[in-house]
Amino acid sequence: MDDHKEREHSHSGHGHGHGHGHDEHDAPHSHLPSDPALRVKALETLLVDKGLVDPAALDALIETYEHKIGPRNGAKVVAKAWCDPDFKAWLLRDATAAIASLGFTGRQGEHMVAVENSAALHNMVVCTLCSCYPWSVLGIPPVWYKSEAYRSRAVIDPRGVLSEFGVTLPETAAVKVWDSTAEVRYLVIPQRPEGTDGLNEEQLAELVTRNSMIGTELLSADSGSEQP
Amino acid sequence: MNNIHDMGGMQGFGAIPIEENEPVFHSEWEAKAMAITVAMGAWGRWNIDASRHARERLAPQEYLNLTYYERWIAALADLMVDRGLVTVSELQSGKPDGGATTAQPPLTADKVAAVLARGGPVLREIDTAPRFKIGDSVRTARDNPDGHTRLPRYARGRQGVITLHHGAHVFPDSNAKGLGEAPQHLYAVTFNATELWGRHASAKDSVTLDAWESYLEPA
């Protein structure tokens, strides 16, 4: 079924014949309430009444992403890579398996690739087509990652974007932007900050921020204290 | 599809909306929108590519006026009606149509952890050998398909180099239309910033994206 037919089909059931192509206001979703909170409530009520969703499953999903799956997963991966050369080599060779060995698998992290920052190379990640993001290691993406401003500019003006995050790279450093156009999800391994030689893996994980694993922050020995 | 969702390289969207100590969800309805979308996906009436395409089909002016999770809910409602899970009259009234029996949801609370941990891997075994190897110079297609595609406009008709081979993955252009997974070899292709954006880009910088084999020709 091509795109045009799919639209026609989706409009066939409710008798609003239109003689022009600008029928988006007649699409099924336009029959929901206009206020987003009411819209979602109306949909939830309908779907629960029809038996299409289990309310307890909704609660479990929300609980999982609010409290169980988030950037602390990725921070553990990075800290282990900093401390364990064998793990780091595995992570760079087969990130999916290396990350799975720590228990972080699944939805929106099925296929992982880790890329390492250095003084000469800075990696940053975007999805210009939607907002693809490694949920299993970083949780739900922040608003800025999903914003039009970031999605549009990360590829054409990465250094300008980085400057808005307070990151200024030396002219000698190359910026490599990864556009997540498939189901492969990229995890940036930030540079280990100077002056952290005495810290153990757990203490190092505390320094690793979400943004540093997307590539919009450089870490220092006092990073990380602000995050959940 | 050349719609508003394909944003790479556009200008004029302003500053990046950076928020200190951002919560995971900004309201209860955002959390519910995420959860409902994931839970309804478990019915298996559509796949992730069809879901993305449903969001892409929102009209540009509407897309830009909706927030992130509002787009999800709009696309979900359209998919549910299209695939026969709800009717337009049910969306209008907020109540099940008369005579409908109550369904048994495929995703129950006890299954959530396992379903999320499993995800939906898209790596597939195929018989054909990869056409390209790491280091090969390639040029991207200049196609403008009106269905779903994952080759962004800014990277069409451009020359790059194969830098990774990811194996064979489900082909979204086919899968979104319900025409099967049709897996193809998938590659990371690296483009110099100047090839994409012209002489004012930094010659040191690059953009890498994941391209299916049929998006590519030898260069």
Side-chain angles (χ1 to χ4, degrees), chain A residues 3 29 110 148 177 179 183, chain B residues 52 57 71 120 154 208:
Chain A
D3 177 47
H29 68 263
E110 291 91 344
E148 291 87 345
V177 180
D179 190 355
E183 300 301 337
Chain B
R52 288 189 181 125
R57 283 202 305 269
R71 291 172 194 157
Y154 75 83
T208 300

Side-chain angles (χ1 to χ4, degrees), chain A residues 3 9 29 50 52 105 107 110-111 131 143 148 151-153 159 164 175 177 179 181 183 186 226, chain B residues 5 9 14 16 21-22 43 52 57 62 68 71 78 82 103 116-117 120 122 150 154 205-206 208 210:
Chain A
D3 177 47
H9 178 60
H29 68 263
K50 281 174 68 76
L52 293 172
T105 63
R107 185 183 175 83
E110 291 91 344
H111 307 287
S131 52
V143 163
E148 291 87 345
R151 287 167 54 190
S152 61
R153 279 171 53 212
R159 289 171 193 263
E164 285 178 36
V175 179
V177 180
D179 190 355
T181 44
E183 300 301 337
Y186 293 92
E226 87 291 350
Chain B
H5 72 283
I16 314 289
N21 301 314
E22 185 183 327
W43 279 92
R52 288 189 181 125
R57 283 202 305 269
E62 186 177 27
Y68 181 74
R71 291 172 194 157
D78 293 350
D82 188 62
L116 293 181
V122 292
R150 297 299 283 179
Y154 75 83
D205 296 350
S206 63
T208 300
D210 292 324

Side-chain angles (χ1 to χ4, degrees), chain A residues 162-173:
Chain A
L162 287 170
S163 73
E164 285 178 36
F165 284 91
V167 175
T168 307
L169 296 172
E171 283 298 316
T172 51

Side-chain angles (χ1 to χ4, degrees), chain B residues 189-207:
Chain B
V189 182
T190 298
F191 304 87
N192 288 330
T194 49
E195 166 74 4
L196 298 174
W197 312 113
R199 61 198 164 94
H200 295 298
S202 167
K204 285 186 177 307
D205 296 350
S206 63
V207 176

